[in-house]
Amino acid sequence: MLAQKIKDQSLYLTPTPAGAYFSVSGTEESPARQFLQKLLAQKEGLQLSAEDLLEHMPVDSEEDALTMLTHMQKLGWVQGLETPLNAPEGQLEAILPDILSQLSVSGKALLADEQGFYISSSGFPHETAEELSGLSASLATLHERYQGVLKNNLGEGSSAWGLVDAAGNSQVGFWPLFIGDYRFALVIGGQPQMNRPALILLVCCLLYTSDAADEHRDVG
């Protein structure tokens, strides 16, 4: 367990792909979501030490920090790496296509903004990417309209949508990603591969971009 290695500062605490997705899959605030986003926003990995945990976790004692760390590890949201996993540097337009291609077996994926315009795409023709991006915005509006029924009546907390075949296999999936005040849509064609480091890198890139946009807005 990571909590047992807290004195061994040779490991870097990093969200797993599942933890990265949880951190941006909704807008409801929670201590775990807050901490995971802080980890993802680090330009360098967070060394596994009691001091670093207390600095970044919304808790008051080392005991509470270790309890929270153990809980998140049991959920599969955090991992200890020997080397830090850092987001690639450069313009989003140059970085995202390679990251997106790794999230689908077919290599087809795109990232759209909340207005329904695609930011980056891999594997989709330009016209298809435009139409799928517009569809992602329409689905977000549809989900907001019926979220009371989906969440309260059916108990479905997810806001992802998908087109499936007769066997239930995904043909096209739409996953909203909430980064600060921004909502993005990850659209994947074919079988998704979201349990990969590429998802961690995607969330890192979006968090960096959001922070930079907020700083620019505050200066302006």
Side-chain angles (χ1 to χ4, degrees), residues 38-118:
K38 283 188 176 182
L39 283 184
L40 289 161
Q42 295 291 310
K43 292 185 178 181
E44 297 181 355
L46 181 67
Q47 284 191 306
L48 189 58
S49 69
E51 293 77 10
D52 285 333
L53 287 179
L54 280 174
E55 180 180 350
H56 291 84
M57 281 186 172
V59 295
D60 298 322
S61 68
E62 180 177 330
E63 181 180 357
D64 290 339
L66 296 179
T67 298
M68 183 175 176
L69 177 64
T70 300
H71 176 66
M72 287 193 295
Q73 187 179 14
K74 289 181 178 179
L75 291 173
W77 288 348
V78 292
Q79 59 187 327
L81 302 179
E82 294 183 357
T83 57
L85 180 65
N86 298 323
E89 297 182 357
Q91 297 295 322
L92 279 180
E93 293 79 3
I95 296 173
L96 287 181
D98 179 62
I99 293 177
L100 291 170
S101 69
Q102 299 177 51
L103 298 176
S104 168
V105 171
S106 66
K108 296 181 178 180
L110 66 84
L111 182 72
D113 64 18
E114 61 186 10
Q115 302 300 322
F117 299 101
Y118 78 89

